[in-house]
Amino acid sequence: MRKKIKELLKSSQVNDQVVIEGWVRTRRDSKGGFSFIEMNDGSCMANIQVIADNTLSNYESEIKKLFPGAAIKVSGELKASQGKKQRVELLAKEVLLYGACDPENYVIGKQRVNFELLRDIPHLRPRTNTFGAVFRVRNRLAAAIHRFFQDREFLYIHTPIITGSDCEGAGELFQVTVQDIEKISAGKAKCDYNQDFFKKKSFLTVSGQLELESFACSLGDVYTFGPTFRAENSHTSRHLAEFWMVEPEMAFADLEQDMALAETFLKSICSDVLENCAEDMDFFNLRVQKGLIEKLQNIVDMPFGHMTYTDAITELQNSGQKFDFTPEWGSDLQSEHERFLTESVVKGPLIVTDYPAGIKAFYMKMNPNEKTVRAMDVLVPQIGEIIGGSQREENPEILETRMRAAGLEPEGLSWYMDLRRYGSVPHAGFGLGFERMLQFLTGMGNIRDVIPFPRTPGQLGI
């Protein structure tokens, strides 16, 4: 039975007969009549060294022609390593070639390649050390998120990907239709939503929050974790057209409980990844961002700072710092503002609350001053906003007024209004951008490098 390299490298059971399968990273031949093969199977960062002797039947015909990227199966005996880099190595009794790799055209095996080039071959980039580490951390982070909510008895709800509503009100939605767009564009057919699949305009979701609220107002504490889409024509290192969101929603909860959950959540998932992805995190700390582990440990250990939006604007205006965007009350905080607050003012994570109603979504609960809403953003160094949340407006009259002010017709969201008409309760929740969290955890500079197949304007990929 196949053994994972990760498991063997921790093993002290030398002289065991084992089988491994994976891909060749390097091969060098010795004058003594044997070859050293560095082999990796994706289970960990480290390779295992395989020693293949020239007495093997396919030594000259296949083994000496192995190049990086070739897939092989090795059966042999686990031995204590003579080198200092690892404790064990494998003495091959048989090497089976599954698939050769053309050294002329295999880009990864030739030389060090940059991230931009690797984005053009996303199907191969997981074979590099960096991207293997990224996606192992991504896997662990997803598991940690589910574990966090399951341990607290939140119910996992699958919210729809196709929707008829714009949760954020930004209008940056991908439309879904079965109508013949080419004929409509050529004037050979008319757009008729009554003839469309859903008999109305439909879109890919930008958030599962509105639908999730209906379950929170029935079942209590719930969360969703799934893909979301935004047709924003942005080419920055922080934006994707397709990305994943984590969205918990709590019934009978206010903003204070929402902030407490967000802080505990971030501390928990950072701690989990540091503990369970130590090898990969050491790599990121050494090769990608110096001081990364210390930064993450500070998230785990430090209490989060708190500041109102109004105080944050005052802090920025009195800082003497020159910003590209002048901080003014009523304008959204820019990334440069968020980073200054976290990196220079509180020197750590910060929760900003009570934003102006005019720059926040219609569903956020209005404060008594009728100028600000019970919203909160969690800001972290180097990234800025990583979580956005609020207490939701549970009063149907106020909610209707807010919807109309945002240019939305309450009749179009009558089901959402029903949650306030029939047994309305205080409730709150937040959203975490999964890929932005991965950027923060790994130190990777571009969000396109923490998702398997990035979708961005003009780039569908494979």
Side-chain angles (χ1 to χ4, degrees):
M1 180 180 291
R2 173 195 173 201
K3 292 282 188 179
K4 296 286 183 74
I5 290 175
K6 180 180 181 179
E7 179 184 349
L8 292 183
L9 291 177
K10 295 178 180 178
S11 176
S12 59
Q13 300 298 311
V14 295
N15 302 321
D16 278 3
Q17 300 297 315
V18 298
V19 174
I20 58 173
E21 294 167 302
W23 294 267
V24 173
R25 285 293 176 87
T26 65
R27 188 209 81 242
R28 61 184 177 88
D29 303 321
S30 167
K31 293 179 180 178
F34 53 89
S35 296
F36 296 102
I37 302 167
E38 291 286 327
M39 190 173 166
N40 191 280
D41 65 359
S43 62
C44 62
M45 174 76 66
N47 305 322
I48 193 168
Q49 180 170 269
V50 175
I51 301 173
D53 191 88
N54 63 4
T55 57
L56 295 173
S57 61
N58 60 342
Y59 183 76
E60 293 292 337
S61 61
E62 291 182 334
I63 294 174
K64 285 191 70 174
K65 297 178 181 179
L66 290 175
F67 290 100
I72 60 175
K73 174 183 178 180
V74 180
S75 305
E77 186 176 356
L78 199 63
K79 293 287 190 180
S81 178
Q82 301 301 309
K84 297 179 180 179
K85 290 186 178 181
Q86 57 191 38
R87 62 198 298 180
V88 293
E89 57 193 17
L90 190 61
L91 181 60
K93 298 294 179 65
E94 181 183 31
V95 177
L96 172 66
L97 176 64
Y98 282 135
C101 189
D102 177 8
E104 294 299 318
N105 297 308
Y106 187 58
V107 176
I108 292 174
K110 282 186 174 182
Q111 70 275 330
R112 177 175 277 182
V113 290
N114 61 42
F115 292 163
E116 187 174 357
L117 175 61
L118 289 171
R119 286 178 210 132
D120 292 333
I121 48 171
H123 56 296
L124 295 177
R125 65 179 182 170
R127 298 188 185 188
T128 66
N129 285 336
T130 301
F131 288 97
V134 165
F135 296 116
R136 281 189 294 270
V137 171
R138 185 181 174 105
N139 168 74
R140 185 69 208 188
L141 178 61
I145 287 167
H146 282 295
R147 187 174 296 109
F148 176 87
F149 290 115
Q150 291 295 321
D151 286 350
R152 287 159 180 79
E153 297 188 346
F154 278 66
L155 298 181
Y156 178 34
I157 305 299
H158 297 111
T159 52
I161 290 176
I162 301 175
T163 179
S165 60
D166 179 4
C167 175
E168 298 299 323
E172 297 161 340
L173 299 98
F174 286 101
Q175 191 168 339
V176 176
T177 182
V178 296
Q179 298 187 73
D180 193 324
I181 301 301
E182 291 185 2
K183 285 186 177 180
I184 293 172
S185 298
K188 297 179 180 178
K190 290 184 178 181
C191 179
D192 184 356
Y193 291 113
N194 289 322
Q195 301 301 315
D196 214 339
F197 191 89
F198 295 106
K199 309 300 183 186
K200 61 180 292 188
K201 273 190 177 183
S202 54
F203 311 93
L204 296 180
T205 185
V206 298
S207 169
Q209 179 205 311
L210 300 189
E211 293 86 354
L212 194 63
E213 283 186 53
S214 67
F215 279 83
C217 293
S218 303
L219 302 176
D221 296 340
V222 294
Y223 75 105
T224 190
F225 181 10
T228 52
F229 309 85
R230 195 157 298 179
E232 184 177 358
N233 191 21
S234 176
H235 296 264
T236 77
S237 62
R238 301 172 69 232
H239 289 87
L240 290 165
E242 176 185 303
F243 54 99
W244 286 65
M245 287 284 289
V246 182
E247 298 175 285
E249 198 76 26
M250 298 178 290
F252 310 105
D254 58 18
L255 186 65
E256 286 65 34
Q257 290 165 291
D258 201 29
M259 290 189 290
L261 181 73
E263 180 171 348
T264 305
F265 173 58
L266 282 181
K267 289 178 180 294
S268 175
I269 58 178
C270 285
S271 178
D272 188 293
V273 169
L274 286 172
E275 179 181 351
N276 292 291
C277 296
E279 182 189 32
D280 292 323
M281 295 307 297
D282 284 340
F283 171 84
F284 291 123
N285 190 64
L286 179 65
R287 299 291 183 89
V288 178
Q289 185 182 107
K290 303 291 185 184
L292 175 66
I293 290 178
E294 181 182 3
K295 178 189 75 173
L296 296 175
Q297 197 60 54
N298 285 339
I299 297 293
V300 175
D301 297 337
M302 289 177 62
F304 286 17
H306 287 260
M307 188 181 297
T308 66
Y309 166 89
T310 300
D311 288 342
I313 292 294
T314 300
E315 191 76 48
L316 292 166
Q317 291 174 338
N318 294 340
S319 67
Q321 179 82 6
K322 288 188 178 293
F323 297 105
D324 292 334
F325 295 90
T326 301
E328 295 179 347
W329 202 98
S331 298
D332 214 345
L333 294 178
Q334 300 297 316
S335 178
E336 60 176 337
H337 303 148
E338 296 169 342
R339 291 193 57 178
F340 179 81
L341 291 169
T342 55
E343 295 168 20
S344 301
V345 179
V346 300
K347 295 180 171 58
L350 171 67
I351 302 179
V352 178
T353 61
D354 302 304
Y355 284 79
I359 61 173
K360 288 297 183 180
F362 70 90
Y363 50 74
M364 297 185 178
K365 184 174 179 61
M366 188 74 76
N367 278 318
N369 63 17
E370 298 186 352
K371 293 181 179 180
T372 60
V373 289
R374 295 201 32 91
M376 65 95 178
D377 286 344
V378 181
L379 315 180
V380 294
Q382 298 177 321
I383 293 289
E385 179 195 340
I386 203 163
I387 281 179
S390 72
Q391 184 173 339
R392 318 310 191 188
E393 183 57 71
E394 79 269 19
N395 183 298
E397 289 78 19
I398 296 175
L399 180 61
E400 182 173 339
T401 300
R402 292 271 288 145
M403 290 176 73
R404 293 192 186 281
L408 298 172
E409 290 297 328
E411 294 77 14
L413 282 170
S414 59
W415 67 268
Y416 189 68
M417 294 296 295
D418 280 351
L419 303 179
R420 278 74 180 169
R421 297 186 186 111
Y422 310 130
S424 184
V425 301
H427 58 291
F430 63 77
L432 168 82
F434 185 61
E435 281 75 25
R436 285 196 184 179
M437 186 67 211
L438 270 167
Q439 272 193 282
F440 183 64
L441 283 170
T442 61
M444 296 293 283
N446 196 310
I447 200 166
R448 303 175 192 199
D449 296 329
V450 294
I451 192 168
F453 299 99
R455 272 75 172 103
T456 55
Q459 294 292 328
L460 182 60
I462 64 174

